[in-house]
């Protein structure tokens, strides 16, 4: 395995010279892992942010071809340490080796996807309106616009995706593709994994001849180091995946700065699943098996875990509930990511099961040991759910709450009561779906992704994907953290009026030297 130094990466330098305070913990055994990582000092954090600001002057003007080469080099470097990641990440997270290898592949695919976006270049949305000096009563000027990078971006690693939503994950890949340097805040749950990937990114910066501050990786407690990073005047945007409490605290800091910055947080979602009567009659056991697989995948530690399942009690739902209960009861316990997440799940499941309006239908097999969680199936009524907002809170782990209603009106009331979500799923026959168009219309206003006849866990990395949603699923429902649209979180439109052609960015020059798609005088033209 590559050597772990226990140091932050600040440009091409190391940081964190104090006593180690952050240690990875094996959640299965409670063992403290070596090496320890010291939090960066205020001076070191300032240096990382200032390096990034200096790098922006060069990196923001780097060609799409050069950025693509850089992103592909990162992917190559990560693949080269795939065996090291498969050995270390399970120790830090409790996730199986197969999951880590799959996530490594997803991370590299995501980097290469953004490489194609940067290389092709049309993402800038170039618009050209030619001058008309003969227009009366006022001549029309030549006006051109395109997206430009915002500046240095702070990225916060996620606990539940040590690769795909962490050091070189989607936030970092999309920021790099836009031309923004990145300062990553490592997550305390997988510090060694973060350093391995950070070394791979740093090596790519060197190999591609990019400015030193293009990338930094810092360690420290979220409340101190993370807060200081968001407040730093050299940081111009931030991406975060984590808890609602943490995300909202950082949102406030970003908004309260003398110069407020965009803060893109993915925070909370219960991902409701609506099962319609026709589908229930056709394939109850199949639906139970699919839902069970979705709710227990990764010990329920996916942001798209189906936490609420909504059923029409005027249909025959009991075979479905019985089959789901059987599957949940036979589910073995499994290790959660860290003690904090495990404790929160135990507390939340206990509170839900203790609610007088909630029935505990089935519990998975208990397993003694550190950070162990069992699956859980709960049941309540629509009236109870509508009358108690605590029943709509996210329970991060392998559980779902079945909510029964007595017809379309109550089902729509449930849909309309929902907070913003990442996903909503509707399972139905063609006739079901045709009869429930209003449900689909309501859900479109509530979520970033509506799934028909599938299950929400699993986020395809592709150009059309939206992994976002109205608050509190995210801090800005107009954005996505997966898919090529993610690049626009870290850009802003700039207009160029009356410029000589030679002074325009290449994307806006008359001859179109990059050969990109552009909107010219209202017509899309290649």
């Amino acid at each position: 395995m590559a050597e772990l130094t226990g140091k932050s990466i600040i440009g091409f330098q190391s940081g964190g010279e104090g006593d180690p305070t952050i240690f990875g913990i094996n959640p299965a055994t409670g063992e403290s892992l070596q090496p320890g990582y010291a939090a960066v000092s205020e001076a070191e954090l300032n240096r990382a942010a200032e390096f990034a600001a200096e790098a922006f002057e060069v990196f923001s003007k780097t060609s799409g071809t050069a950025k693509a080469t850089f992103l592909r080099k990162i992917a190559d470097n990560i693949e080269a340490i795939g065996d090291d990641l498969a050995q270390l990440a399970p120790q830090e997270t409790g996730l199986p080796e197969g999951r880590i290898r799959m996530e490594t592949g997803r991370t590299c695919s995501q980097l290469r996807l953004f490489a194609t976006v940067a290389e092709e270049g049309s993402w800038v949305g170039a618009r050209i309106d030619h001058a008309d000096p003969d227009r009366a009563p006022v001549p029309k000027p030549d006006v051109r616009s395109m997206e430009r990078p915002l500046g240095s971006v702070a990225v916060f690693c996620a606990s539940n995706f040590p690769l795909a939503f962490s050091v070189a994950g989607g936030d970092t890949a999309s920021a790099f593709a836009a031309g923004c340097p990145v300062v990553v805040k490592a997550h305390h749950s997988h510090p060694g994994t973060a350093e391995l990937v950070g070394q791979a990114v740093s090596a790519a910066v060197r190999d591609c001849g990019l400015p030193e501050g293009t990338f930094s990786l810092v360690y420290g407690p979220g409340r101190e180091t993370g807060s200081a990073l968001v407040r730093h005047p050299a940081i111009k945007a931030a991406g975060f995946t984590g808890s609602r409490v943490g995300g909202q605290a950082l949102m406030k800091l970003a908004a309260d700065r003398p110069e407020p910055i965009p803060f893109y947080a993915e925070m909370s979602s219960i991902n409701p699943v609506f099962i319609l009567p026709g589908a229930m009659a056709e394939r109850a056991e199949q639906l139970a098996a699919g839902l069970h697989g979705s709710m227990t995948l990764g010990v329920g530690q996916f942001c798209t875990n189906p936490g609420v399942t909504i059923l029409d009690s005027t249909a025959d739902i009991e075979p479905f509930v019985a089959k789901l209960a059987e599957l949940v009861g036979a589910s073995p316990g499994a290790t959660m990511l860290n003690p904090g997440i495990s404790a929160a799940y135990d507390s939340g499941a206990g509170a839900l099961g203790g609610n007088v309006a909630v029935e505990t239908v089935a519990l998975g097999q208990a397993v003694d040991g550190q950070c162990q969680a069992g699956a859980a199936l709960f049941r309540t009524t629509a009236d109870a759910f509508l009358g108690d907002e605590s029943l709509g809170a996210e329970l991060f782990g392998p559980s779902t709450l079945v909510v029964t209603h007595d017809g379309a009106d109550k089902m729509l009331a449930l849909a309309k009561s929902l907070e913003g979500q990442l996903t909503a799923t509707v399972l139905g026959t063609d006739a079901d779906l045709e009869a429930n168009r209003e449900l689909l219309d309501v859900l479109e206003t509530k979520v970033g992704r509506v799934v028909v006849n599938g299950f929400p866990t699993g986020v395809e990395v592709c150009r059309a994907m939206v992994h976002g949603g109205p608050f509190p699923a995210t801090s800005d429902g107009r954005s996505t953290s997966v898919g090529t649209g993610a690049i626009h979180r870290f850009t802003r439109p700039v207009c160029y009026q009356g410029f000589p052609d030679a002074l325009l960015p290449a994307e806006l020059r008359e001859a179109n030297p990059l050969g990109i798609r552009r909107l010219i005088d209202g017509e899309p033209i290649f």
Side-chain angles (χ1 to χ4, degrees):
M1 181 182 294
E3 180 184 0
L4 295 176
T5 69
K7 304 292 185 184
S8 292
I9 299 170
I10 301 175
F12 297 149
Q13 307 169 28
S14 63
E17 301 300 331
D19 292 333
T21 58
I22 300 165
F23 292 88
I25 303 293
N26 186 323
T29 65
E31 173 192 4
S32 181
L33 302 173
Q34 297 293 331
Y37 290 78
V40 289
S41 66
E42 180 180 356
E44 290 167 333
L45 186 68
N46 286 339
R47 189 161 74 246
E50 289 160 4
F51 276 174
E54 293 169 7
F56 179 71
E57 297 177 12
V58 175
F59 190 54
S60 63
K61 297 178 177 64
T62 300
S63 71
T65 300
K67 288 185 291 186
T69 298
F70 173 48
L71 288 161
R72 291 182 180 120
K73 182 62 176 175
I74 297 171
D76 292 345
N77 289 352
I78 291 173
E79 285 180 339
I81 59 168
D83 289 343
D84 291 345
L85 293 170
Q87 177 183 342
L88 177 60
Q91 295 177 47
E92 293 189 318
T93 64
L95 297 172
E97 178 184 333
R99 157 70 188 275
I100 297 302
R101 291 192 182 276
M102 178 199 72
E103 197 177 322
T104 300
R106 170 180 168 169
T107 303
C108 294
S109 294
Q110 193 162 241
L111 287 159
R112 291 180 175 123
L113 175 62
F114 278 104
T116 66
V117 171
E119 190 170 53
E120 191 279 328
S122 294
W123 70 270
V124 300
R127 294 168 178 257
I128 297 173
D129 283 293
H130 286 110
D132 182 0
D134 298 325
R135 188 184 69 176
V138 179
K140 176 186 175 185
D142 187 273
V143 178
R144 304 175 185 225
S145 67
M146 60 181 283
E147 296 291 317
R148 297 297 295 147
L150 268 178
S152 304
V153 173
V155 170
F156 289 76
C157 293
S159 62
N160 60 333
F161 280 88
L163 298 166
F165 282 87
S166 290
V167 174
D171 289 345
T172 297
S174 54
F176 281 156
C180 297
V182 172
V183 180
V184 174
K185 162 67 174 63
H187 197 281
H188 62 85
S189 285
H190 36 77
T193 301
E195 186 185 354
L196 283 179
V197 178
Q199 291 173 358
V201 179
S202 185
V205 175
R206 284 181 181 272
D207 291 345
C208 293
L210 296 172
E212 179 177 5
T214 302
F215 170 78
S216 291
L217 169 67
V218 299
Y219 291 84
R223 288 187 178 179
E224 290 82 16
T225 304
S227 297
L229 189 57
V230 168
R231 288 196 301 262
H232 199 285
I235 297 298
K236 302 302 181 183
F240 170 91
T241 300
S243 71
R244 184 168 177 173
V245 171
Q248 286 191 260
L250 292 172
M251 280 174 61
K252 187 174 189 306
L253 289 177
D256 289 347
R257 288 172 33 140
E259 177 200 0
I261 60 171
F263 184 82
Y264 297 101
E266 180 202 315
M267 298 180 289
S268 176
S269 188
I270 59 173
N271 307 295
V273 174
F274 293 79
I275 304 181
L276 302 178
M280 184 67 74
E282 271 190 4
R283 54 186 194 275
E285 286 205 4
Q286 179 185 341
L287 293 173
L291 180 63
H292 174 260
S294 185
M295 65 180 272
T296 57
L297 183 68
V299 204
Q301 297 168 118
F302 285 84
C303 43
T304 52
N305 175 56
V308 171
T309 303
I310 296 170
L311 309 180
D312 186 343
S313 62
T314 65
D316 185 9
I317 63 172
E318 296 311 321
F320 168 86
V321 175
K323 182 61 178 179
L324 184 58
E326 175 190 334
L327 294 169
V328 167
S331 299
T335 304
M336 299 196 84
L337 290 160
N338 61 50
I341 288 175
S342 177
Y345 176 70
D346 288 344
S347 174
L352 190 57
N355 189 308
V356 294
V358 174
E359 173 193 359
T360 300
V361 179
L363 296 174
Q365 299 171 10
V367 178
D368 292 333
Q370 298 281 332
C371 299
Q372 296 297 307
L377 175 62
F378 303 101
R379 182 171 179 169
T380 192
T381 65
D383 288 338
F385 188 89
L386 292 169
D388 184 349
E389 65 179 18
S390 73
L391 298 182
E394 180 183 38
L395 178 55
F396 192 66
S399 73
T400 197
L401 171 65
V402 168
V403 180
T404 60
H405 63 84
D406 58 5
D409 289 346
K410 194 57 66 74
M411 178 183 67
L412 290 173
L414 288 167
K416 292 174 181 178
S417 77
L418 294 168
E419 294 185 305
Q421 307 292 331
L422 293 171
T423 74
T425 298
V426 180
L427 297 157
T429 63
D430 289 347
D432 281 331
L433 297 171
E434 183 63 34
N436 287 279
R437 288 191 174 194
E438 188 175 354
L439 172 63
L440 296 172
D441 290 342
V442 170
L443 294 179
E444 182 183 316
T445 71
K446 295 288 186 177
V447 308
R449 175 165 57 112
V450 184
V451 180
V452 170
N453 288 328
F455 289 94
T457 43
V459 179
E460 182 68 27
V461 178
C462 64
R463 290 168 177 79
M465 178 52 64
V466 173
H467 191 59
F471 181 86
T474 70
S475 56
D476 187 338
R478 299 167 298 175
S479 66
T480 177
S481 62
V482 179
T484 56
I487 197 172
H488 297 295
R489 295 172 300 166
F490 305 125
T491 67
R492 65 183 182 88
V494 177
C495 183
Y496 303 81
Q497 181 172 325
F499 266 56
D501 193 72
L503 295 182
L504 286 165
E507 293 89 343
L508 296 177
R509 291 177 190 164
E510 196 65 22
N512 193 12
L514 301 181
I516 63 172
R517 181 177 63 253
R518 307 190 296 183
L519 188 69
I520 300 179
D521 297 326
E523 296 292 330
I525 296 174
F526 283 91

